[in-house]
């Protein structure tokens, strides 16, 4: 029998979106507005780098990736399944722009404190529905919800159990969704203004053994398109959103370019939304330091292998390893630098990162030396990169389940 949880509620005001209906079975799509994430800066007008926030961020990254099984970089087979084996030619995903119902708006909250630390939004669970908030995380696969206590039908009490109940996000419902019911404040994954976490990764990475919420929606045939997409505003601004079953062309310009996922990085089993990358380049130079890039909405910064970071920062004038005490793997550069373009490459296509997202602020109040947002730390030790919000704020990101691909278009 499933648990009957009493959830820890967020004080944030929640707006629930209605699903968007079209003809036929595959009709569901919804927009979840996202408030902003808090950051690695101290809370002051100067936006000084906050090393303690950086350490907390790294702890969250380790909690998600450390101990997982990855193929050693030297042994990877770069051959990726072609789209023809995954359902034929790609069809354009459902676009909500111009077709959204007036009530179908539910944005994400951006938690900002020097940099955008996380984007979270509303979720309801149970019958009658109880509302709470979750961090929507492509770097994990489980739904975690905190509770004070949980009571079985026979009256016994349990803490930290696997529960099953009806879960709804923006009007899209899975009647029997498995989730981890954990005590309030358990672990670094649940630290923050949000109450829980909703993993958007693949079933093979689910620690609870439960099929992820989005996969349940996709496999049930209830979505207009089996995709979800993120738009992330910066600096705590409004407008961030998660589009489930859809894209929103009002949030990007140009067309979406897709890249096939890379299961060879995880021993042939797809766990993450990861794609092969040629590495980073500076000021139009060649890309160096190739790796498998995990596109991770639940991580604030960008973490790349140590050798790749050394190669990148060797090209940036004045850049050097950050002093002891700031945070391991970070680099500094002169705050007054007129930086050239810093780009991440996929299959030869280069995607630039805004200097605002690269700069995490001065190392101390009044300092002329700033901390850079690309970090030389690999939580796996196997040549894996974690590409977080510092990249995704620049590029509208589409996660295509049917075609096992991730796509990017220039964010507005």
């Amino acid at each position: 029998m499933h648990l009957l949880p009493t959830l820890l509620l967020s004080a944030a005001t929640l707006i629930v979106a209605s699903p968007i209906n079209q003809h036929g079975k595959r009709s569901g799509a919804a927009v979840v507005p996202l408030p902003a994430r808090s950051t690695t800066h101290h809370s002051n007008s100067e936006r000084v780098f906050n090393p303690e926030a950086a350490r907390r961020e790294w702890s969250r990254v380790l909690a998600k990736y450390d101990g997982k099984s990855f193929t050693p970089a030297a042994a990877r087979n770069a051959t990726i399944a072609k789209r023809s084996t995954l359902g034929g030619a790609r069809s354009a995903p459902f676009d909500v722009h111009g077709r959204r119902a007036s009530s179908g708006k539910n944005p994400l909250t951006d938690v900002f404190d020097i940099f955008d630390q996380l984007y979270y939004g509303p979720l309801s669970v149970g019958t009658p529905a109880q509302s709470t908030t979750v961090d929507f995380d492509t770097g994990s696969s489980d739904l975690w919800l905190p509770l004070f206590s949980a009571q079985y039908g026979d009256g016994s009490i349990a803490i930290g159990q696997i529960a099953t109940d009806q879960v709804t996000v923006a009007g899209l419902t899975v009647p029997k969704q498995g989730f981890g019911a954990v005590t309030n404040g358990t672990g670094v994954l649940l630290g923050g203004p949000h109450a829980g976490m909703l993993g958007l990764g693949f079933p093979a990475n689910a620690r609870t053994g439960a099929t992820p919420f989005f996969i349940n929606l996709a496999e049930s045939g209830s979505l207009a398109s089996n995709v979800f997409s993120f738009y992330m505003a910066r600096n705590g601004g409004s407008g961030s959103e998660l589009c489930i079953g859809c894209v929103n062309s009002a949030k990007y310009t140009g067309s979406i370019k897709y890249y096939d996922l890379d299961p060879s990085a995880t021993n042939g089993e797809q766990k993450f939304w990861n794609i092969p990358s040629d590495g980073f380049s500076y000021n139009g130079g060649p890309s160096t330091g190739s790796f498998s890039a995990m596109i991770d909405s639940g991580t604030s910064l960008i973490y790349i292998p140590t050798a790749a970071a050394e190669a990148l920062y060797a090209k940036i004038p004045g850049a050097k390893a950050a002093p002891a005490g700031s945070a391991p793997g970070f680099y500094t550069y002169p705050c007054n630098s007129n930086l050239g373009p810093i780009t991440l490459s996929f299959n030869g296509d280069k995607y630039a990162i805004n200097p605002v997202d690269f700069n995490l602020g001065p190392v101390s109040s009044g300092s002329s030396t700033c901390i850079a947002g690309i970090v030389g730390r690999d939580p796996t030790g196997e040549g894996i990169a974690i590409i977080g919000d510092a990249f995704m704020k620049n590029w509208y990101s589409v996660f295509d389940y049917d075609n096992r691909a991730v796509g990017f278009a220039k964010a507005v």
Side-chain angles (χ1 to χ4, degrees):
M1 59 191 72
H2 66 265
L3 293 173
L4 302 175
T6 301
L7 296 175
L8 173 65
L9 300 181
S10 166
T13 300
L14 307 181
I15 307 172
V16 179
S18 300
I20 298 165
N21 295 316
Q22 290 183 302
H23 298 295
K25 183 181 178 183
R26 294 174 62 85
S27 61
V31 178
V32 184
L34 301 175
R37 183 189 309 266
S38 58
T39 78
T40 56
H41 299 80
H42 288 293
S43 296
N44 57 45
S45 58
E46 194 177 0
R47 296 175 57 182
V48 174
F49 176 69
N50 184 345
E52 180 55 36
R55 283 187 282 270
R56 290 196 302 269
E57 158 91 343
W58 178 245
S59 294
R60 288 192 293 268
V61 171
L62 283 179
K64 288 196 290 186
Y65 293 98
D66 191 28
K68 299 294 178 66
S69 176
F70 292 91
T71 308
R76 272 177 216 153
N77 180 357
T79 301
I80 300 170
K82 299 301 181 184
R83 295 196 186 107
S84 59
T85 68
L86 297 171
R90 181 189 307 280
S91 59
F94 176 70
D95 184 359
V96 300
H97 180 50
R99 293 192 277 182
R100 182 187 304 155
S102 60
S103 60
K105 188 171 185 179
N106 193 8
L108 300 179
T109 297
D110 177 12
V111 180
F112 177 79
D113 180 10
I114 305 310
F115 68 82
D116 302 289
Q117 289 191 8
L118 74 93
Y119 299 80
Y120 68 90
L123 168 150
S124 65
V125 60
T127 306
Q130 299 179 75
S131 296
T132 187
T133 54
V134 292
D135 183 1
F136 294 95
D137 178 24
T138 60
S140 64
S141 299
D142 295 286
L143 173 58
W144 298 104
L145 295 174
L147 43 83
F148 296 122
S149 65
Q151 184 174 3
Y152 288 103
D154 60 4
S156 60
I157 301 296
I159 297 295
Q161 300 292 319
I162 305 302
T164 302
D165 214 328
Q166 177 171 293
V167 172
T168 300
V169 176
L172 299 173
T173 298
V174 173
K176 295 181 179 180
Q177 176 63 49
F179 61 93
V182 297
T183 54
N184 179 22
T186 298
V188 294
L189 290 180
L190 298 182
H194 57 295
M197 176 176 289
L198 191 151
L200 292 164
F202 288 85
N205 193 39
R207 300 183 184 186
T208 61
T211 301
F213 177 80
F214 171 76
I215 305 299
N216 276 326
L217 289 174
E219 292 293 344
S220 71
S222 60
L223 294 176
S225 298
N226 285 337
V227 305
F228 62 89
S229 54
F230 278 95
Y231 172 77
M232 295 178 175
R234 59 173 53 87
N235 297 341
S238 61
S240 300
E241 67 178 35
L242 165 64
C243 203
I244 303 175
C246 50
V247 299
N248 183 356
S249 59
K251 298 293 188 178
Y252 64 87
T253 60
S255 59
I256 301 167
K257 183 75 176 286
Y258 289 90
Y259 304 91
D260 293 324
L261 299 185
D262 177 19
S264 71
T266 48
N267 298 308
E269 189 173 33
Q270 198 66 60
K271 297 181 178 180
F272 303 96
W273 293 94
N274 59 296
I275 55 179
S277 171
D278 310 316
F280 276 93
S281 67
Y282 177 71
N283 203 25
S287 298
T288 57
S290 61
F291 40 70
S292 189
M294 312 288 173
I295 312 302
D296 186 351
S297 65
T299 293
S300 304
L301 305 179
I302 297 171
Y303 299 85
I304 63 177
T306 302
E310 291 173 349
L312 170 64
Y313 285 107
K315 302 172 184 177
I316 298 177
K320 58 184 178 181
S326 55
F330 281 81
Y331 284 76
T332 65
Y333 69 100
C335 295
N336 62 358
S337 293
N338 185 16
L339 290 174
I342 297 171
T343 60
L344 178 59
S345 176
F346 300 106
N347 196 30
D349 303 321
K350 293 187 176 183
Y351 293 85
I353 296 173
N354 192 312
V356 171
D357 302 315
F358 182 73
N359 186 349
L360 300 184
V363 296
S364 60
S365 180
S367 174
S368 61
T369 299
C370 283
I371 296 284
I374 299 175
V375 186
R377 297 186 83 175
D378 178 358
T380 72
E382 298 294 355
I384 299 295
I386 315 300
I387 308 300
D389 305 342
F391 174 84
M392 293 177 67
K393 284 181 287 186
N394 297 270
W395 299 96
Y396 189 87
S397 302
V398 183
F399 299 79
D400 185 335
Y401 178 67
D402 284 345
N403 293 289
R404 302 297 195 272
V406 177
F408 305 112
K410 182 63 178 175
V412 297

